[in-house]
Amino acid sequence: MATPLDAILSLSKRRGFVFQSSEIYGGLNGCWDYGPLGVELLRNVKEAWWKAMTLRDDIEGLDAAILMHPRTWEASGHLGQFTDPMIDNKVSKARHRADTLIEDYIEKLRKKGKTDQANAVEARLNLASEPAHFHAIIIDEQITDPVSGTTDWTDVRYFNLMFKTFVGPVEDVSNTVYLRPETAQGIFVNFKNVLDSTRQKPPFGIAQIGKAFRNEINTKNFLFRTREFEQMEMQFFIKPGSEKEWFEYWFEQRYQWFIEHGMNPSSLRSKPHEKMAHYANAATDIEFLFPFGWGEIEGIHSRTDFDLKNHQEFSGKKQEYVDTVTKDRYVPYVIETSVGASRSFMAFLCNAFKEEKIDGENGAVETRTVLQFHPKLAPVKAAIFPLTSKDGLPELADPLYKDLQKDYKVQWDTSGSIGKRYRRQDEIGTPFCITIDNDSLNDSAATIRNRDTMQQERIPIDNIKAFLRDSL
Ligand code: ATP
């Protein structure tokens, strides 16, 4: 039987949400293209985030370049430390992230009820920092390669995840630049620019949406771990000492954002980090229950003054805020909210996907595939169905269609039975289907059918736009 992830993948491709990148050439690992419906959904996710972040007094937007001065990545620690431990199996030649190999093993122990052993391995993993530590765990536990089933491993090596390229025609060290592995640094290096060009003072934030690139050792699970992806990050600059309260505030805001946009609360959980990144003094992930298990969709991090202090040191430019009244001066602390646009796209897609048994035409039981997106995220907001292509029905429906199209993505469908047309729209998550039938010629009303309840109501055609506005 197809797993839910297979079913979602196949629907994604069939209906034009997501395609494999450069598929006609066999695809490129870790890269995906968003099709006509996918791009609408992705834009809606980003728009919902952008509105939640920037339609308030204390956050400004930014769009920084992907290529940045290479010193940025020295200051941020990415050149030295943005590495994953990798290990190769000598028989299968399969390459793995050593830490995820061990995490998968711990998961298996837990499933078998070997809790003590799982906890012991986890404790060792939490302390591991050197390649030799990871290697020792893999050897001691006799962890096998999922491909060959053998324990014939190479040493563990660290591998930097940043993509390198060159500016200008000469490919040498002095011209090396990196594709940014996160959008956050574009925000940090612009902290003073934003501070000086706006009337903001701490506490205030800077929000940015943009592409990020990581040369991941293993890409897997569709859009979950890709090499090119989009992030939506916000850095909130605060007075040192207030980080605890702001950390809690932002965690709550971000958790609620997912709920408000239709996430099933039982598919969300928070996971505080036990092992902190070198820059953080508190970190909690928001995790979503994907078809393959729990996975991080967003991280909320209390980053102290690590980033601004380092940029101050590496650039020689002060990164302070000076209070003109109190003469108080300090390098602000930062609370970061960091979410993948593409990874949350996938979470919203999985969350929306349902297969329901319903009474079909002629009394038969049918399976209805439906994407129950929050109306704000749905790629298509409404579909218009003239019942038939004759009797003046298309002519009656056309002005409504054109009018709705000025504000919303709407579709027009005249082919097949109404039941078939409903199925087509359910499958892409369209919240409302509007049918213009022969009665409409007399009563100037149409039938609006709700995607989730499948209830139908009769509404005057002139009121439909207002109805949609209220419902969306
Ligand atoms: P992971 O442990 O899953 O690699 P991370 O802790 O390195 O993630 P962050 O650096 O905190 O992730 O990135 C913030 C967010 O960016 C993640 O919550 C995720 O939504 C997204 N993200 C990170 N790496 C990828 C990737 N390779 N593909 C898609 N989204 C990603």
Side-chain angles (χ1 to χ4, degrees):
M1 207 186 84
T3 66
L5 191 57
D6 287 338
I8 292 167
L9 259 154
S10 117
L11 173 70
S12 274
K13 171 158 187 190
R14 186 159 43 80
R15 298 305 307 270
F17 280 90
V18 181
F19 307 123
Q20 217 186 347
S21 156
S22 28
E23 189 184 337
I24 59 168
Y25 292 105
L28 181 66
N29 216 330
C31 299
W32 298 87
D33 296 343
Y34 292 83
L37 292 177
V39 70
E40 296 293 337
L41 175 60
L42 185 63
R43 288 176 67 110
N44 293 342
V45 169
K46 291 190 283 186
E47 186 64 15
W49 184 89
W50 189 253
K51 281 191 168 154
M53 284 298 174
T54 65
L55 298 186
R56 41 187 289 158
D57 294 332
D58 56 357
I59 296 186
E60 305 288 344
L62 180 80
D63 191 349
I66 288 173
L67 300 177
M68 301 179 68
H69 194 287
R71 292 276 281 169
T72 309
W73 308 112
E74 282 177 53
S76 68
H78 282 82
L79 261 179
Q81 305 198 34
F82 193 57
T83 50
D84 278 339
M86 68 176 185
I87 188 164
D88 294 337
N89 183 271
K90 289 185 195 161
V91 179
S92 69
K93 308 279 182 255
R95 176 162 289 175
H96 305 278
R97 246 173 84 168
D99 52 343
T100 40
L101 193 67
I102 300 169
E103 278 163 8
D104 292 349
Y105 171 72
I106 295 170
E107 195 64 33
K108 274 195 206 130
L109 290 177
R110 291 235 154 84
K111 283 206 179 115
K112 287 187 198 152
K114 298 183 177 175
T115 316
D116 290 347
Q117 192 184 352
N119 290 345
V121 180
E122 191 169 50
R124 279 184 83 185
L125 179 62
N126 282 339
L127 291 174
S129 55
E130 301 295 320
H133 299 159
F134 295 104
H135 193 255
I137 301 174
I138 292 169
I139 299 304
D140 293 350
E141 295 294 324
Q142 301 193 327
I143 298 177
T144 53
D145 172 30
V147 185
S148 67
T150 68
T151 53
D152 200 357
W153 296 109
T154 62
D155 285 340
V156 172
R157 280 172 297 152
Y158 269 122
F159 168 76
N160 196 298
L161 301 183
M162 282 200 294
F163 280 101
K164 234 187 238 181
T165 186
F166 303 96
V167 283
V170 186
E171 296 192 6
D172 71 18
V173 181
S174 62
N175 294 330
T176 302
V177 291
Y178 301 89
L179 302 189
R180 66 178 176 201
E182 61 174 32
T183 56
Q185 298 305 322
I187 294 180
F188 290 124
V189 301
N190 278 293
F191 162 70
K192 280 292 273 176
N193 287 335
V194 175
L195 186 70
D196 296 345
S197 61
T198 64
R199 303 181 61 197
Q200 299 288 358
K201 52 186 190 180
F204 82 99
I206 305 177
Q208 170 166 228
I209 299 177
K211 290 265 178 163
F213 303 82
R214 296 183 187 180
N215 200 358
E216 300 280 0
I217 295 168
N218 297 118
T219 59
K220 62 175 180 189
N221 292 328
F222 192 32
L223 304 171
F224 184 80
R225 189 174 302 291
T226 56
R227 298 204 165 103
E228 174 176 341
F229 55 98
E230 241 173 327
Q231 286 187 316
M232 309 190 283
E233 294 195 300
M234 193 277 298
Q235 315 291 325
F236 202 71
F237 300 93
I238 56 172
K239 194 170 176 174
S242 61
E243 64 271 22
K244 193 167 174 300
E245 103 200 40
W246 281 113
F247 180 77
E248 278 161 20
Y249 170 84
W250 278 112
F251 174 78
E252 201 47 40
Q253 292 291 312
R254 295 303 307 142
Y255 204 88
Q256 286 310 321
W257 183 83
F258 285 106
I259 308 269
E260 280 160 23
H261 290 86
M263 284 292 191
N264 180 351
S266 64
S267 304
L268 281 185
R269 72 176 186 192
S270 66
K271 192 163 181 223
H273 282 207
E274 282 168 22
K275 193 172 161 185
M276 224 68 77
H278 55 283
Y279 51 78
N281 71 1
T284 297
D285 291 340
I286 299 176
E287 293 193 334
F288 174 76
L289 186 56
F290 288 96
F292 57 82
W294 290 98
E296 170 188 336
I297 47 179
E298 172 151 3
I300 292 87
H301 310 127
S302 174
R303 296 177 73 117
T304 69
D305 55 6
F306 174 83
D307 305 88
L308 288 182
K309 273 246 172 86
N310 277 356
H311 285 304
Q312 178 167 283
E313 187 191 321
F314 278 74
S315 68
K317 309 265 163 41
K318 282 253 178 287
Q319 300 296 314
E320 289 177 341
Y321 165 70
V322 185
D323 190 313
T324 45
V325 182
T326 61
K327 303 287 174 243
D328 203 11
R329 64 168 61 220
Y330 56 86
V331 175
Y333 270 30
V334 168
I335 304 297
E336 163 183 82
T337 71
S338 173
V339 53
S342 19
R343 201 182 273 184
S344 54
F345 170 106
M346 178 175 167
F348 281 117
L349 190 62
C350 295
N351 181 69
F353 184 85
K354 305 265 160 20
E355 281 176 327
E356 295 177 348
K357 295 268 178 264
I358 55 158
D359 295 332
E361 284 164 40
N362 311 323
V365 176
E366 275 181 20
T367 304
R368 156 172 115 119
T369 303
V370 54
L371 290 179
Q372 290 185 333
F373 291 124
H374 186 287
K376 267 195 201 150
L377 301 185
V380 176
K381 306 299 184 198
I384 313 258
F385 306 157
L387 186 62
T388 59
S389 304
K390 43 185 209 279
D391 302 333
L393 298 184
E395 290 75 8
L396 184 61
D398 187 62
L400 172 67
Y401 178 62
K402 297 263 165 58
D403 187 35
L404 294 182
Q405 207 169 37
K406 283 184 198 147
D407 296 292
Y408 304 110
K409 190 87 192 160
V410 282
Q411 286 193 351
W412 173 270
D413 191 355
T414 54
S415 73
S417 70
I418 289 293
K420 282 226 173 67
R421 292 184 232 176
Y422 283 156
R423 292 300 98 79
R424 281 201 279 270
Q425 296 299 328
D426 286 347
E427 224 185 28
I428 63 169
T430 308
F432 301 104
C433 293
I434 302 161
T435 305
I436 305 281
D437 56 18
N438 289 75
D439 289 343
S440 308
L441 295 167
N442 302 319
D443 66 1
S444 301
T447 302
I448 297 200
R449 182 259 199 185
N450 181 300
R451 175 197 68 200
D452 301 335
T453 62
M454 296 192 279
Q455 298 292 317
Q456 306 184 2
E457 62 180 303
R458 199 86 188 151
I459 293 193
I461 293 175
D462 286 347
N463 296 353
I464 287 178
K465 197 162 187 186
F467 171 89
L468 273 189
R469 197 185 320 117
D470 294 344
S471 315
L472 298 170

